[in-house]
Amino acid sequence: MFRTTLRNITAHKGRLLMTMLAALLGVAFLSATLVFTDTFAEAYRKSSEQSFAYVDVAIRPGRAPEGGPPGARPALTQDLLHDVARLPEARTVIGSVTGFTAIAGKDGALAGQGWSTRGANYYPGPGGADPRYAVARGRAPQNAGEIMLDARSAERTGYQVGDTVRLSVDGPVLKEKLVGVFTTDDGEVAAGGTLTLFDTATAQRLFAEPGIFSEITAKASPGASQVALRAAVEKVLPEGAVTFTGDSLARDQAVRVEGTINDLRSTLLVFAGIALFVGVFLIANTFTMLTAQRTRELALLRAIGASRRQITRSVLVEALLIGAVAGCAGMVAGIGVAACLRGLIGSFGSGGQVLPDGPLVVSPAAVVVSLAVGVLVTMAAAWPPARRAGRIPPVAAMSAVHAPATSRSLVVRNTVGAILAAAGAATVLAGTGMDFDEGQYVIGLGASTLLTGVFVLTPLLSRPFIAAITPLLRRMGAPGKLARENALRNPRRTAATASALTIGLAVITGLTVIATSSREATDARATATLSADYVVRMGNYDDLSVQVEDALKATDRVTGGVTAVSPLREVPARVAGSNMFLTGVDAGVIGDLLRPEFTRGSLSGLGTGGALVDAGTAAEHGWTTGTALPVTLPDGGHGRVTISGVYQDTDLLHGLVIDTHLLDPHLRTRTAGSVLVKTAHGPSRAAKDAIIDALGDSPAILVQSKQDVSTSIAHSITVMLNLLYGLLAMAVIVAVLGVVNTLVMSVVERSAEIGMLRAIGLDRGGVRRMVRLESLVISLFGATLGAGLGVFFGWAGVRLLAADTPAYRLILPWGQIALVLALATVIGVVAAVWPARNAARLDMLTAIQSG
């Protein structure tokens, strides 16, 4: 039987090739996911270990003392550093201060990866050197106006020692002299970021306060453990400061990295699973048709003594061998894809890496899982056809494995499918009424159940669809009528082939509906109430210096264009006993810049001791217009405000809002999350250029009009959607292979019939049209069913999101849905090219004799 199995495989190499390719693609996706995420994790794990090489104990500010001013945190002073340095358990103590630092390249554009463009201090030890940073060229910064740049960034930007570098930390542009270049094992630098070093006094002035550190780290003396050093350090700490051992920091960072990797891995594995699931339909169809075409051979084997188990095992051994070959090839292909993906991501980093350096990691687990999945998926898909093959009686030499289904079996199948579909739809509907955290899992379960029910019902559903397009097929003449009969001849085969396409297009349509609705909702939250012409903010969304606000207010004297400027200042406070953030605005001009949607009250009382509050916060605390609230401000000062309006929150305005004239006297440092600007003649290129020039063409600042904000939102969602489409492309490719495979094998199965049609007058062009129309029927059926399910799933997703964000409403992207159906038409035409060509080239006499 084993030799017979091998002969069957070699006899049907072409027919099994696409089956093997379907399994190979799914395994390659899985293998690439496992190898890439393992490589990602290992690179960051080693990078994080290097980051803590000089840390045995770290001291950081903790929570604000109970009863102290809101947001106040214990200060890590130079005196504390000296106290720690005097401990016998401490060998080396370093004071660190860090913050965002945007570097402009020689072309004026931001260098690095945005969020990972950082600045820090160079802290020379007893020998005059900072052990964290090795000076490669030049020297360390010693005074204000001097910086050092990491070697990777210096190479990318082309800066040399002695050059003047334009940079910004909170908006205003600084021009610093590059006095040195250093090397570092910092993971963010290796991942494409930039690191700029200042002398300690300058860094403290820029990122904290004079004499204050963000963190103090200590290296233990020989013979002292991290635990012993930590115990000694805690004796000299101020109230509220906290300590961590180097080992615990490394573990915590490893956990964070692993969490990020797991999220990425889970997302990619979902799409790999979709591709493999779609491949199951192709594999099952192939083995079903192969066993049907070998009915005589299998019946003969039964007649000469082969048992049912031997026949079943023979088919399963074929699947085992095919799965093993596909698994091995897919594993190799996946390693190649992972290597290419790593290199592709590296190309996004403006000439640098976006992953730390490290080898490609191919773990034994990835190899075993990939091979096992390839084999198990192929064998699982081949199991039903193998069982049916084993049931062929010896006298069935002229019968087909797939005898017409009995009415009872059809009733049972349709009943089960209807129950599953109804249960799945009901579960999805129930999930839309829950909160997001619970509802997403309920909807996922319901969607899976509904899909399963629809798959079971697909043979039944195919008949009304084909009946609906019958008038169009009849207009195609004899080829159209024959295509209709061929599609109806074996509805289970038609359904199984179409189902593969249904899965991919259902997910694509659902994601498109959710993405389109999300884009509209996000755009509405960001811009619906915005009447300002420009929003000025930091590129990394950190706070802007008050100098930016002052420069914008002075712009009217330069250009005569700016008419209103208001900061959106967010500061911690204690309101009626609850900790929350206050938003400070200029009450005199905010009405020209924002149009909040009020449910009660208005803007009118804001400048006279009034306050605005968003509807969610008001409902949570039971506040309404006229409610007087005691407020503890950031410096510990006390005041009282009265709610004069309740509004719907947006991305720009939320929480409790008061006038900056009440807030600013209680702030040590005035900053703003963003600044709103109104110009005399509305947004224009000249007005935007004037604002940019007034801010010194800072590399750290974004100046965005309402249209710019909308465009950036649309772009980010489009990029995400295109990425998801790329991940789903594998499933669509496998579905196309399924249509091709079904048609090729159907042509072989119907060779005698095609020969007879040729003999009675159907020309080669008619045969080609018949096969193409059959392919179109299958593809359009799968696409229509997939688009319908996708719209339903998209509606459920939007309904769930709307529970937390009322701005969400269903937007049906009719253009994209039409594009999905057009894609199905293209798939039908392309998939039919090879089978139609083979059918048209059949020799009619040979074909008739083969029957």
Side-chain angles (χ1 to χ4, degrees), residues 509 512-513 787 791 812-822:
T509 305
T512 303
V513 170
V791 169
L812 290 180
W814 294 111
Q816 287 94 325
I817 293 174
L819 188 62
V820 166
L821 297 177

Side-chain angles (χ1 to χ4, degrees), residues 494-587:
T494 300
T497 306
S499 293
L501 196 58
T502 296
I503 299 170
L505 296 186
V507 178
I508 287 174
T509 305
L511 288 174
T512 303
V513 170
I514 293 174
T516 303
S517 301
S518 297
R519 183 170 57 208
E520 294 291 330
T522 306
D523 189 30
R525 280 187 57 84
T527 64
T529 63
L530 181 65
S531 52
D533 294 323
Y534 292 100
V535 179
V536 180
R537 55 166 58 108
M538 291 286 287
N540 70 331
Y541 296 91
D542 272 0
D543 286 341
L544 289 161
S545 165
V546 71
Q547 296 177 40
V548 172
E549 184 183 333
D550 294 340
L552 290 170
K553 289 179 178 178
T555 305
D556 61 338
R557 293 196 295 270
V558 179
T559 66
V562 173
T563 59
V565 175
S566 174
L568 295 179
R569 239 187 279 291
E570 285 198 7
V571 297
R574 190 174 300 112
V575 181
S578 299
N579 291 325
M580 62 178 62
F581 278 86
L582 290 179
T583 299
V585 300
D586 187 337

Side-chain angles (χ1 to χ4, degrees), residues 56-76:
D56 282 328
V57 170
I59 306 170
R60 295 175 179 174
R63 295 182 178 179
E66 193 68 30
R73 305 178 73 188
L76 306 185

Side-chain angles (χ1 to χ4, degrees), residues 140-228:
Q142 298 171 351
N143 304 294
E146 298 179 345
I147 62 168
M148 270 209 304
L149 196 60
D150 70 89
R152 293 172 185 264
S153 299
E155 181 180 355
R156 283 200 304 270
T157 57
Y159 282 123
Q160 302 292 329
V161 173
D163 288 347
T164 298
V165 180
R166 295 176 64 251
L167 58 87
S168 177
V169 298
D170 56 2
V173 174
L174 305 174
K175 295 181 179 180
E176 310 288 316
K177 182 179 180 181
L178 182 65
V179 297
V181 174
F182 65 94
T183 59
T184 178
D185 293 327
D186 187 284
E188 291 184 355
V189 171
T194 64
L195 181 58
T196 307
L197 298 183
F198 304 84
D199 67 282
T200 297
T202 300
Q204 288 175 330
R205 176 174 53 82
L206 292 174
F207 304 130
E209 297 178 27
I212 303 301
F213 296 101
S214 306
E215 180 182 66
I216 295 175
T217 59
K219 188 71 176 173
S221 300
S225 68
Q226 291 188 354
V227 174

Side-chain angles (χ1 to χ4, degrees), residues 353-383:
Q353 296 276 95
V354 296
L355 284 180
D357 293 329
L360 201 66
V361 177
V362 183
S363 66
V367 175
V368 171
V369 169
S370 299
L371 294 178
V373 167
V375 171
L376 292 175
V377 165
T378 308
M379 292 186 69
W383 171 249

Side-chain angles (χ1 to χ4, degrees), residues 347-440:
S347 69
F348 295 157
S350 303
Q353 296 276 95
V354 296
L355 284 180
D357 293 329
L360 201 66
V361 177
V362 183
S363 66
V367 175
V368 171
V369 169
S370 299
L371 294 178
V373 167
V375 171
L376 292 175
V377 165
T378 308
M379 292 186 69
W383 171 249
R387 288 193 64 193
R388 287 195 291 270
R391 293 173 182 169
I392 300 175
V395 296
M398 300 305 294
S399 301
V401 173
H402 296 288
T406 64
S407 58
R408 180 183 177 186
S409 68
L410 291 175
V411 169
V412 171
R413 178 189 180 109
N414 293 336
T415 301
V416 171
I419 292 173
L420 288 173
T427 304
V428 170
L429 292 174
T432 60
M434 301 178 179
D435 61 53
F436 183 81
D437 290 336
E438 295 179 358
Q440 60 178 328

